[in-house]
Every structure is written in structure tokens, then in C-alpha cells.
């Protein structure tokens, strides 16, 4: 057993202290606070130090990693016991265990292979098992209902959040990862409706299958794949399978368009980087507005604002239509000659930001119409008027993306920021067009 596996195992044992929360009540924070104090000021040598020390800790002579981990757990424990509206103890325990055992799973995989995708799978698998078991244990200790389907879905969300953050952050940032998992799970617990075993099983099977397909086909990096899977799971949790299907339509068609005649686009200098594999930034740039819309929809449903819910459904679909329209206009239009700058209609070289072709514009319009068609079939919106609004939102978003590309992209805004603003324009455009219809 390697030292990194032993260290991860030690952290997992410390994380298991979260299961004592029901017995400790308001003192649930105490075990972690004690560990933090010992790690920061007492243990500076000997077997325990060697077990928990990360490379940087040896230079400082202090267990900074363990202290930060324990302090983050202390903070979550206080949120679960002190405020007037407290974090559920099951969420607190799940957040701590998801990170602790997820890291152990990743380290076990690391000891056998350096494959990044398998490391991420090891993290998520261990996180889901530990998060589900932790919530079940807390429910058993407190006498609450044993909602295993809900526990599993929450653990899957937490595991994916942790996996996404672990791809972007360093090991020393684990306190931030733990706090983020806890806050996300708290929000899901408050806003998500009832979850059946069938819904959980289908949601997990669907998202895992689609994520694996995206990675295997080279349309997403490991981080991009995990982010896409997480977004699909959020769509199911906060909306339903129809919302996820709208995102799948964009992810699938957009990925195929990116790979379509990729070598020709590469020769022309208009191909996506990384062989067309989309990363986390690209996924969030294109789907971040959709995520905000579906979370807002769940909040509006919970608070009883039906008109706001309707607007957010339109915003979700409009942003997806804009993302699809922009992707197809770029990927298809980039294959044709004589592109023109949208602001002046003067001919420009292929690959110029803000350049458009009529073929690309037609492809973008078809993409927006496709998303509009899928949306009116699967989302809770009036079909005829919504289809017009969503199509309009897609065209608005595509046009805004080109205008921003011609004016500010590269001079203050990156591609992901431009994509986000374009999808926001698509969401706003769909809402504005729909209101008077």
C-alpha cells in the first residue's frame, strides 16, 4: 500500500467522525475542531504526522492539509446545528464522507493506473457509496425515513461536484471542495421534489451512459464529460427527464457537428482545439444559463410562482437553442468559403471572430428549430407560441455571439464568456418574444 493510499485512508477515518453528529447534537463540530487543533499545533512528528503529512506539510512541520480538512468539516457541522434554518445532518455527513472516501477511491485507482478517466470514476464510485451509506446511517440514528433512492441521487450529485472541482483544483483545496459539496447538496435537498427508485436508476444509468459515450467518442475531455453528466443530473433533479432530453439534444448534435469533417476544419484553422473534445469551460459557457434556469424553475415551483416558472422554462429552452444555433453556425459555416464580418459584411479570412457565412446561418436556424421542436414536446410549455419564442431566442443568441466575436472577443472577453452571454441573450430573447404571444 502506497503512502498516498494510507494517507487517504487516514482522512477517510477522520471523515467518518461525521456519523457521530446525531449523538453529539450541538457539539457535532467538536471532534473535527479537536482534530484541527491537534493537526495545526500539536502533531509535528512521529507516526501520526507521517501518516497524514502531505509533501508541503513536511516543510512547514505542521499538518496543514488535515487541519484544513477538519476545519471545513467543523464549518459544515456548525451550519448543521447553529443557524435557525440548519443544514440537515444527513447532508453534513454526506458532504464530509463524499470527499474523504472519494479521495480514497481515486488514490486506490492511482496506485494501479495513471488513467485520468479511471481516477475520476474511482472518486465518483467511492463517493456515491460512502455518501449513500452515510445518509442511511444518519437516518437510522435519528429515526428518519430511509429514502435510499434520494440518498443515492444526492450522493451522485455530490460525487460529481467533487470530481469536477478536483479536476480544476489542487489537493490543498479540499476544504473548498468539501464546503462546495455541502452547500450544493443543501440546495438540492431543499429544492428537489420526491425521488423514486426508478427515477434514480434511470437518471444514473442515462447520465453515465451518455457521459461515457461522449468521452469514448472524443467529444469531451474527462473534466468536460463529468461536467456534462452533472448538468444532466441537475436537469433531472430540478426539472425532469424532459429537461435533460433538451440538453442531450444539444450535446449530441453539437458534438457530432464538431467532429463533422474535423480534418477539413483543422486545415482551414476553424476547428475546435483538443481534437474537438469540449472541456469544463466550454460546457459551462454553453449550458451555464440553462443550469441557472432549471435551478430557478425548481425554486419558483417550491415558492409557488407559476408565471415565473413558465418564464424560466422558456429561458432554459431559449438558451439551449442559442447554444445549438451558435455551434452549428460555427461548425458548419466554417467549412464554406467567403465568410463575411457580421458588422460590416466585408470578406474576411476563415476563422476570424465574428465572421459568418449564409450556410452557417441556415444551419444555425435549423439547429434552433430542432431544439424548439424537442422543447415543445418534452417541456411544460404551450407548444405553438413557445416554439416561435424558442426559435427566436436561438437566432438572437447566434447573432449576439457573432456580434460579440466581431467586437470584443479577444480584447477583454474569452470564448467561454462570449458563449455564456450569447446563451443569456437567447434565454432573454425567448422570454421577451413569448410574453406578448
Amino acid at each position: 500500500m502506497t503512502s498516498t493510499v494510507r494517507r487517504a485512508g487516514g482522512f477517510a477515518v477522520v471523515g467518518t467522525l461525521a456519523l457521530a453528529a446525531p449523538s453529539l447534537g450541538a457539539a457535532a463540530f467538536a471532534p473535527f475542531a479537536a482534530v484541527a487543533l491537534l493537526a495545526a499545533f500539536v502533531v509535528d512528528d512521529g507516526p501520526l504526522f507521517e501518516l497524514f503529512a502531505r509533501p508541503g506539510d513536511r516543510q512547514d512541520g505542521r499538518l496543514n492539509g488535515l487541519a484544513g480538512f477538519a476545519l471545513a468539516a467543523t464549518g459544515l457541522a456548525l451550519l448543521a446545528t447553529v443557524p435557525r434554518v440548519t443544514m440537515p445532518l444527513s447532508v453534513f455527513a454526506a458532504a464530509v464522507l463524499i470527499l474523504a472516501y472519494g479521495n480514497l477511491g481515486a488514490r486506490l485507482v492511482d496506485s494501479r493506473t495513471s488513467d485520468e478517466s479511471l481516477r475520476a470514476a474511482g472518486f465518483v464510485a467511492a463517493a456515491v457509496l460512502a455518501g449513500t451509506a452515510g445518509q442511511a446511517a444518519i437516518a437510522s440514528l435519528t429515526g428518519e425515513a430511509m429514502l435510499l433512492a434520494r440518498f443515492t441521487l444526492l450522493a451522485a450529485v455530490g460525487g460529481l461536484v467533487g470530481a469536477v472541482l478536483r479536476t480544476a483544483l489542487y489537493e490543498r483545496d479540499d476544504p473548498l471542495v468539501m464546503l462546495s459539496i455541502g452547500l450544493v447538496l443543501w440546495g438540492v435537498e431543499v429544492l428537489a421534489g420526491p425521488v423514486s427508485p426508478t427515477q434514480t436508476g434511470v437518471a444514473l444509468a442515462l447520465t453515465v451512459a451518455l457521459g461515457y459515450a461522449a468521452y469514448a467518442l472524443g467529444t469531451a475531455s474527462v473534466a468536460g464529460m463529468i461536467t456534462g453528466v452533472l448538468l444532466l443530473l441537475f436537469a433531472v433533479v430540478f426539472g425532469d427527464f424532459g429537461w435533460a432530453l433538451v440538453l442531450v439534444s444539444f450535446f449530441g448534435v453539437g458534438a457530432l457537428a464538431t467532429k463533422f469533417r474535423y480534418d477539413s476544419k483543422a486545415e482551414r484553422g476553424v476547428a475546435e482545439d483538443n481534437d474537438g473534445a469540449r472541456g469544463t469551460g466550454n460546457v459551462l459557457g454553453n449550458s451555464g444559463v440553462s443550469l441557472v434556469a432549471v435551478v430557478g424553475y425548481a425554486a419558483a415551483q417550491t415558492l409557488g410562482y407559476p408565471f415565473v416558472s413558465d418564464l424560466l422554462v422558456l429561458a432554459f429552452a431559449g438558451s439551449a437553442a442559442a447554444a445549438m444555433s451558435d455551434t452549428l453556425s460555427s461548425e458548419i459555416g466554417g467549412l464554406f468559403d467567403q465568410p463575411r464580418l457580421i458588422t460590416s459584411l466585408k470578406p474576411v479570412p476563415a476563422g476570424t471572430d465574428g465572421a459568418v457565412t449564409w450556410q452557417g446561418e441556415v444551419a444555425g436556424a435549423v439547429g434552433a428549430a430542432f431544439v424548439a421542436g424537442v422543447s415543445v414536446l418534452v417541456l411544460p410549455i404551450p407548444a405553438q407560441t413557445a416554439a416561435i419564442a424558442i426559435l427566436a431566442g436561438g437566432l438572437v443568441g447566434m447573432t449576439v455571439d457573432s456580434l460579440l466575436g466581431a467586437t470584443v472577443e479577444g480584447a477583454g472577453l474569452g470564448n467561454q464568456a462570449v458563449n455564456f452571454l450569447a446563451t443569456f441573450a437567447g434565454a432573454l430573447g425567448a422570454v421577451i418574444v413569448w410574453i406578448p404571444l
Side-chain angles (χ1 to χ4, degrees), residues 155-218:
V157 169
L160 289 168
V161 169
V164 169
L165 293 175
R166 293 296 281 112
T167 63
L169 301 174
Y170 296 103
E171 190 177 41
R172 64 173 180 266
D173 299 316
D174 274 355
L176 175 60
V177 176
M178 185 193 297
L179 292 171
S180 299
I181 293 171
L183 293 175
V184 169
L185 292 187
W186 193 3
V188 173
E189 176 65 27
V190 171
L191 296 178
V195 178
S196 69
T198 301
Q199 185 182 18
T200 297
V202 173
L204 294 180
L206 175 67
T207 53
V208 169
L210 291 172
Y212 175 77
Y215 178 70
L217 294 173

Side-chain angles (χ1 to χ4, degrees), residues 263-283:
D263 290 341
S264 297
K265 285 183 279 192
E267 291 175 2
R268 297 168 64 87
V270 298
E272 277 287 323
D273 295 333
N274 198 28
D275 292 330
R278 306 275 179 164
T280 295
N282 191 282
V283 174

